[in-house]
Amino acid sequence: MFQIVSLIVIAVLAAIDRLTKYLIVTTVKVNGPLELIPGVLRFRYVENTGAAFSSFSDNTLLLTVVTLIIIAVCLFFLMSRKINSKFAEVCLIIIVAGGIGNIIDRIAFGYVVDFIEPLFVDFAVFNFADCCITVGAFILIGYEIYDLIKGRNQKEKTE
């Protein structure tokens, strides 16, 4: 049952990413940037051939292969139930959904559609899938660090 729910959540999150990108391509790409909150947030159509912050630009094949491997490994761990933490499983679900959202762009177009542009800081333009990947990864890393420290503290108390 967990596997089915996981796949449904992944599909829903990836669909949200696809829908937001479709809306941006059919509106913002055609009509130009849309400032949602003046001085704070704008939607601007960008074709990103790289990874985060446009790193590895024009390496679409490499990024596609690496992303596919990461998605496959995460799905293997999720579907085989080899992870002992529900929290870590949720993080992987979010990461996989974001990876799928971006990999569809890379395979279909050779670039990822980015559109969320914060105006109050000098920051990269990104998309919903990027948010999923980043939030899932940071929360997972934080959880693992917490778990490591907690485990070490418990070990010290028993010694």
Side-chain angles (χ1 to χ4, degrees), residues 17 20-21 24 28 34 36 40-46 113-120 123-132:
D17 179 66
T20 58
K21 289 174 180 174
I24 291 303
V28 173
L34 171 66
L36 296 174
V40 178
L41 183 65
R42 166 173 59 198
F43 284 169
R44 180 170 64 97
Y45 176 83
V46 175
V113 173
D114 286 335
F115 59 91
I116 303 169
E117 181 178 27
L119 299 173
F120 59 95
F123 197 74
V125 180
F126 55 95
N127 61 45
F128 180 77
D130 296 337
C131 293
C132 289

Side-chain angles (χ1 to χ4, degrees), residues 8-23:
I8 290 170
V9 171
I10 288 168
V12 167
L13 291 174
I16 291 169
D17 179 66
R18 301 303 315 143
L19 177 62
T20 58
K21 289 174 180 174
Y22 171 78
L23 292 171

Side-chain angles (χ1 to χ4, degrees), residues 30 54 125:
V30 175
S54 296
V125 180

